Amino acid sequence: ATRWQHSSAQPTLNSITSDDIAHFAQFLPQNAILSTLSPISVPPSEIEQYNTDWMGKYRGSSTTVLRPQTTEQVSKIMKWCHERRIGVVPQGGNTGLVGGSVPLKDELILSLSNMSKVRSFDPVSGALVADAGCILESLTEYIAPHDHIMPLDLGAKGSCQIGGNVSTNAGGLRLLRYGSLHGSVLGLEVVLPDGTILDNLSTLRKDNTGYDLKQLFIGAEGTLGVVTGVSILTPAAPRTVNNVILALPTFENVLPLFKLAQQHLSEILSAFEFIDRTAYELAVKHGQGKGLSDEEIEGAECFVLLETSGGKKEHDEEKLNILLETLLESDQPLITTGVLSQSPAQFVSLWKLREGVPEAVSKEGKTYKYDISIPIASFKEVVDATREQLRRKGLLHEDAVRHVIGYGHVGDGNLHLNIAAAAYTPEIESALEPFVYELVASYKGSISAEHGIGAMKTHAIHYSKSGVAINLMRRIKQVFDPHGIMNPRKVLE
Ligand code: FAD
Ligand code: 2HG
Ligand code: ZN
């Protein structure tokens, strides 16, 4: 029996022609059209950055990027593409890690980067309404004077856009404290594939009036519509933040440490992040934060970066100090060293050791990334098993696989397994897949904790979703996008 129904029926889509460009030029300013087909043609090299993903793993061959400034313009673009059966790839900051943000063929790229205005902010409720193209870090800066923070934070904050965050349901470094975007997004404005504008930009906390449609677009990876506006609840900024990096002699100590941290810090614990020794060394090697001294990291197998956010400095410091004393004073200390940040600059630098890992790994070659949810106790097992698999296949050497590392959001049960290789090759890929997916399935885990399915995992979605669920997803896709023009061949094959 088949587990799920293949849609062999990927629709036939049309390539963009110069007539299409002439149509777009009727309502878009000249600088919103980047095309090798337009009368003011741009060289393909200018379009290259939009065709290529952050990892240099996926590359499309689109001739055209449109950068509209208003929701109306997006609507007109979609209406035309719907009628003409032209595939459309919505693109935010292009920092996605599963090949979802670039075309697979010559689809039109619809960049949201020119839609970057804050529409409103209510400093009492914390409701922020912004264009989808606002960069996450700019929004953080916008609300900082009002003593609010964004409910999410991630290493890509300087480039990723709020619309991209919503569309990938990005998790990141604050999820432990502020929960997922399914909770903090209050409303969305979405242009549907036929150009209809769904204005659901509510700022209400409570609204039980039937199906909560916005939830479908959170994590839809651009396959159901174009998110053009986001209403999001921003929490009050904590009065005081601290962080500490803890060196652990063995991975076995991570779980008991997490338990103790929760008991001692309770409501002020705001992040609990894991980095294995190799990830730490790569971060230091590539200048991501200032490392600890050789003495401090002697005998450390892995590290935990812990953050507290609270209301009173003395209170939080006292709690943290008691935790550190407890950790160091027991007969079998769970940690070998704990370094507490002493200044705002050091706070940032300690965070960089964790946040900067993806950037550091990217300097070591081409990275295969597996973003998985598994029981925390199995993090090391999975990294070791993957390394062993590559060794068995004779691929663990400088010209093939250089590093196998693990890091991630322990507090959320989310491991990032990264394999840095000299190049992307079929041999390495077939050693890793379906090996990693089967391993994850054996733990009843998820093959995508927070990055999504994109183009990378469409063939593997059944490892984490039932046939019934996949069929329902297909039917939902059909309702919103009957011609299959929205981000074709992403999420669903
Ligand atoms: P893009 O990469 O442009 O697009 C991502 C997907 O969303 C694509 O499928 C695209 O079609 C779709 N999309 C984008 N904008 C829209 C829109 N307006 N409407 C409809 N669809 C749209 N992710 C995490 O979850 N947690 C992390 O901690 C994290 N850290 C990262 C650190 C680094 C250094 C990097 C490079 C990436 C990281 N990511 C992380 C990946 C993460 O998914 C993205 O960074 C971010 O959420 C994507 O936003 P973006 O604007 O770059 O979207
Ligand atoms: C992180 O947590 C990001 O740093 C990126 O989700 C993880 O690159 C990765 O694998
Ligand atoms: Zn992550």
Side-chain angles (χ1 to χ4, degrees), residues 177-178 236-244 261 263-271 306-325 340-341 347:
R177 177 63 164 270
Y178 299 108
R239 292 258 162 110
T240 177
V241 286
N242 287 298
N243 64 5
V244 54
Q263 282 166 346
H264 279 260
L265 303 171
S266 56
E267 84 288 354
I268 63 167
L269 179 64
S270 53
L306 188 157
E307 184 195 68
T308 62
S309 305
K312 196 157 183 233
K313 193 165 180 289
E314 299 75 25
H315 166 266
D316 292 12
E317 282 174 0
E318 191 185 338
K319 278 186 151 185
L320 250 184
N321 284 326
I322 295 173
L323 171 67
L324 287 178
E325 279 162 25
L340 194 62
S341 62
F347 176 86

Side-chain angles (χ1 to χ4, degrees), residues 74-374:
V74 175
S75 164
K76 285 182 178 162
I77 294 168
M78 289 314 305
K79 188 169 187 300
W80 183 257
C81 291
H82 180 76
E83 280 164 16
R84 280 268 299 121
R85 311 282 198 271
I86 292 171
V88 177
V89 180
Q91 190 175 90
N94 199 11
T95 67
L97 298 172
V98 289
S101 54
V102 293
L104 293 177
K105 292 189 175 154
D106 62 352
E107 298 86 288
L108 185 150
I109 299 172
L110 199 164
S111 164
L112 278 295
S113 54
N114 276 341
M115 289 184 64
S116 54
K117 290 198 184 65
V118 170
R119 300 193 194 176
S120 67
F121 178 65
D122 179 340
V124 178
S125 69
L128 170 71
V129 183
D131 285 352
C134 287
I135 290 181
L136 178 60
E137 195 166 50
S138 317
L139 292 176
T140 300
E141 284 162 10
Y142 184 91
I143 59 178
H146 302 280
D147 289 329
H148 275 255
I149 59 169
M150 294 301 287
L152 80 162
D153 185 26
L154 44 148
K157 62 188 134 221
S159 313
C160 65
Q161 301 175 0
I162 193 69
N165 299 147
V166 166
S167 301
T168 55
N169 186 25
L173 307 162
R174 287 186 186 151
L175 189 133
L176 180 73
R177 177 63 164 270
Y178 299 108
S180 99
L181 289 172
H182 282 293
S184 47
V185 170
L186 298 172
L188 293 177
E189 178 188 81
V190 182
V191 176
L192 300 177
D194 68 358
T196 306
I197 299 171
L198 173 66
D199 178 356
N200 199 355
L201 266 185
S202 164
T203 52
L204 305 173
R205 288 298 298 277
K206 302 182 77 174
D207 178 19
N208 280 353
T209 47
Y211 305 145
D212 190 357
L213 293 175
K214 68 171 183 287
Q215 299 297 353
L216 277 174
F217 299 96
I218 303 175
E221 302 181 59
T223 61
L224 299 179
V226 184
V227 175
T228 47
V230 176
S231 168
I232 188 166
L233 191 66
T234 68
R239 292 258 162 110
T240 177
V241 286
N242 287 298
N243 64 5
V244 54
I245 187 146
L246 305 168
L248 283 66
T250 160
F251 176 80
E252 305 298 311
N253 292 0
V254 173
L255 266 180
L257 175 63
F258 186 36
K259 181 86 197 141
L260 263 182
Q262 291 179 81
Q263 282 166 346
H264 279 260
L265 303 171
S266 56
E267 84 288 354
I268 63 167
L269 179 64
S270 53
F272 192 94
E273 294 282 325
F274 165 73
I275 336 173
D276 72 13
R277 175 89 188 211
T278 320
Y280 168 87
E281 282 171 359
L282 290 178
V284 174
K285 175 177 169 191
H286 294 289
Q288 302 289 334
K290 189 176 169 311
L292 311 180
S293 67
D294 288 349
E295 206 176 39
E296 283 166 331
I297 59 167
E298 202 189 315
E301 184 175 78
C302 59
F303 300 83
V304 161
L305 184 104
L306 188 157
E307 184 195 68
T308 62
S309 305
K312 196 157 183 233
K313 193 165 180 289
E314 299 75 25
H315 166 266
D316 292 12
E317 282 174 0
E318 191 185 338
K319 278 186 151 185
L320 250 184
N321 284 326
I322 295 173
L323 171 67
L324 287 178
E325 279 162 25
T326 314
L327 289 174
L328 287 164
E329 276 168 10
S330 76
D331 290 345
Q332 280 185 313
L334 290 177
I335 60 168
T336 54
T337 325
V339 175
L340 194 62
S341 62
Q342 303 294 337
S343 65
Q346 205 186 357
F347 176 86
V348 172
S349 171
L350 287 190
W351 256 121
K352 206 80 192 135
L353 287 169
R354 161 63 187 87
E355 260 182 78
V357 174
E359 183 89 40
V361 191
S362 74
K363 304 263 163 62
E364 293 284 312
K366 298 291 185 190
T367 318
Y368 290 90
K369 290 180 180 288
Y370 298 94
D371 155 45
I372 61 187
S373 279
I374 47 166

Side-chain angles (χ1 to χ4, degrees), residues 97 354 358 369 407 409 416 418 450-451:
L97 298 172
R354 161 63 187 87
K369 290 180 180 288
Y407 57 104
H409 317 285
H416 293 307
N418 280 198
E450 60 171 8
H451 295 163

Side-chain angles (χ1 to χ4, degrees), residues 374-395:
I374 47 166
I376 306 166
S378 314
F379 277 22
K380 183 171 182 313
E381 230 161 76
V382 165
V383 178
D384 289 349
T386 306
R387 191 181 293 111
E388 195 40 46
Q389 158 79 351
L390 292 162
R391 194 192 312 279
R392 259 199 315 272
K393 300 276 178 189
L395 291 168

